[in-house]
Amino acid sequence: MAIVVAEKTMSLDGFVADPSDGVEDLFGWYSNGNVEIPTPGSGPTFRTSEASARHLRKTLVDAGAVVAGRRLFDLTDGWGGSHPIDVPVFVVTHHVPHEWVAAHPDAPFTFVTAGVADAVARARKAAGDRTVGIGGADIVRQCLNAGLVDEIVVNLVPVLLGAGIRFFDHLAHTPIELEATRVIEGRRVTHLYFRVVGPG
Amino acid sequence: MAIVVAEKTMSLDGFVADPSDGVEDLFGWYSNGNVEIPTPGSGPTFRTSEASARHLRKTLVDAGAVVAGRRLFDLTDGWGGSHPIDVPVFVVTHHVPHEWVAAHPDAPFTFVTAGVADAVARARKAAGDRTVGIGGADIVRQCLNAGLVDEIVVNLVPVLLGAGIRFFDHLAHTPIELEATRVIEGRRVTHLYFRVVGPG
């Protein structure tokens, strides 16, 4: 059964983007090394340290489906119709963007209007024994509140942003107990893996 | 010259205490192992994992003085007149608590009314070539904003608290660039060391 993984690159003070959705101060580790990691789909080729490459390869290989929020979908214009890591995408939305669907007939995108739990269930099915990645701070929050997250991965960047969009915000049923399972020290990033144990 | 270290135990979502100043969900690592670490002063004996003991011994041995805020001082009633790690304490305050001073004539406490920079300068002098520890989220914020912090140590606990008092809040001059210098994996805690590089 597919496990659900929430992975984000986060500043030490908890932000995954600056107030303008900018990630310039966070995403440097994707390109500060010599190891080339091509993304399976339309994404860029990453150039990371050897340590981060170990982390990234696993993430890319393991991924079997993605659940994304409508905000992220709109921000990226649906990644032009093909997700960077080339897996089926389940977009949680109130309204299906019929024009976009018509313009991208081959895009492996499913628009789910019945809520995040339904989107995760469908993504699990599509992912088989691979993982379901969830994207967007709001989707992560909804999934955490619904007890749908199995693993959290934080790519911790040594910077204090001071303001922006938080990875973890407006959580219900706290404290949520985690278990630290793995640490990988990259260059200007520390990859921290956690299993979600559940509300305490 | 003494370096200034801000060390706190923090949840993955950035809180150093719950909304009622409680730390029950955070301080477990101080007593979840077999290695006894007596504090030099009036503090308790810690019982930690071997990894956390390495971290804690260094912290205790290195400390030469502490700068604390008035809120923490009041919360602990000045630690009964003797700081847990038995070093000179510089309390940043608007008003000297004359009654408390009279009741604790031997306490190595200095009440500084000229602001946090003055308190840090005095603490540096007292610490010699050891470190100055700064305590209290508000003092850390003021010191970060004034460019007075050399090192940040986060004892990261695998829990999401959802609410409480943040380690990093209301920062000025952001982004503040850090350099990750060391990671120690303890039991239910990961000790993360950072050098403060400065505003970007």
Side-chain angles (χ1 to χ4, degrees):
Chain A
M1 174 83 163
I3 67 163
V4 177
V5 181
E7 172 172 351
K8 280 281 181 192
T9 295
M10 183 179 96
S11 68
L12 183 60
D13 54 346
F15 298 105
V16 296
D18 69 26
S20 322
D21 282 311
V23 291
E24 297 78 29
D25 293 310
L26 294 171
F27 275 20
W29 69 271
Y30 280 113
S31 55
N32 68 2
N34 296 319
V35 184
E36 292 201 356
I37 310 275
T39 43
S42 59
T45 293
F46 301 120
R47 287 182 179 77
T48 74
S49 65
E50 184 52 59
S52 288
R54 280 203 305 279
H55 157 72
L56 208 47
R57 277 192 208 104
K58 187 171 158 18
T59 297
L60 296 173
V61 168
D62 284 358
V66 165
V67 175
R70 181 60 190 266
R71 187 166 169 278
L72 188 57
F73 173 85
D74 286 342
L75 262 177
T76 61
D77 188 30
W79 297 277
S82 164
H83 193 272
I85 60 174
D86 198 26
V87 294
V89 180
F90 296 80
V91 181
V92 182
T93 183
H94 292 294
H95 305 286
V96 178
H98 294 290
E99 277 189 31
W100 190 92
V101 172
H104 301 84
D106 300 326
F109 281 52
T110 306
F111 295 89
V112 182
T113 55
V116 74
D118 186 47
V120 167
R122 294 192 195 198
R124 274 188 200 269
K125 207 165 177 180
D129 56 0
R130 294 163 83 189
T131 64
V132 174
I134 54 176
D138 194 55
I139 293 292
V140 170
R141 177 183 61 76
Q142 290 182 49
C143 286
L144 276 169
N145 287 345
L148 295 170
V149 182
D150 300 299
E151 197 176 302
I152 292 171
V153 180
V154 173
N155 307 315
L156 191 72
V157 175
V159 69
L160 299 170
L161 288 186
I165 297 167
R166 293 188 188 281
F167 192 178
F168 306 107
D169 218 356
H170 305 296
L171 296 180
H173 318 305
T174 52
I176 298 172
E177 203 191 326
L178 312 174
E179 179 192 355
T181 53
R182 197 179 183 198
V183 176
I184 296 177
E185 295 179 61
R187 182 177 300 148
R188 290 199 60 70
V189 66
T190 306
H191 307 285
L192 302 165
Y193 292 62
F194 302 92
R195 189 173 69 81
V196 178
V197 178
Chain B
M1 174 85 162
I3 66 162
V4 176
V5 181
E7 173 173 348
K8 280 282 180 192
T9 295
M10 183 180 96
S11 68
L12 183 60
D13 55 345
F15 298 105
V16 296
D18 69 25
S20 322
D21 282 312
V23 290
E24 297 77 29
D25 293 310
L26 293 171
F27 276 20
W29 70 270
Y30 280 113
S31 56
N32 69 2
N34 297 318
V35 184
E36 293 201 355
I37 310 275
T39 43
S42 58
T45 293
F46 301 121
R47 286 182 181 77
T48 74
S49 65
E50 184 55 57
S52 287
R54 279 203 306 279
H55 158 72
L56 208 46
R57 277 191 208 105
K58 186 170 157 21
T59 297
L60 295 173
V61 167
D62 283 358
V66 165
V67 175
R70 182 58 190 267
R71 187 167 169 278
L72 188 58
F73 173 85
D74 286 343
L75 262 177
T76 61
D77 188 30
W79 297 277
S82 164
H83 193 272
I85 60 173
D86 198 26
V87 293
V89 180
F90 297 80
V91 182
V92 181
T93 183
H94 292 292
H95 305 285
V96 178
H98 294 290
E99 276 189 30
W100 190 93
V101 173
H104 300 84
D106 299 326
F109 281 53
T110 306
F111 295 89
V112 180
T113 55
V116 73
D118 186 48
V120 167
R122 293 193 196 198
R124 273 189 200 270
K125 206 164 178 181
D129 56 0
R130 295 163 82 189
T131 65
V132 173
I134 54 177
D138 193 55
I139 293 292
V140 170
R141 177 183 62 76
Q142 290 183 49
C143 285
L144 276 169
N145 287 345
L148 295 170
V149 181
D150 299 300
E151 198 176 302
I152 292 171
V153 181
V154 173
N155 307 314
L156 190 72
V157 174
V159 68
L160 299 171
L161 288 185
I165 298 167
R166 292 188 189 281
F167 192 178
F168 306 106
D169 217 356
H170 306 297
L171 296 180
H173 318 304
T174 53
I176 298 171
E177 202 191 327
L178 312 175
E179 180 193 355
T181 53
R182 197 180 183 199
V183 176
I184 297 178
E185 295 180 60
R187 182 176 299 149
R188 291 199 60 69
V189 66
T190 306
H191 307 285
L192 302 165
Y193 292 62
F194 302 93
R195 189 173 69 82
V196 179
V197 178

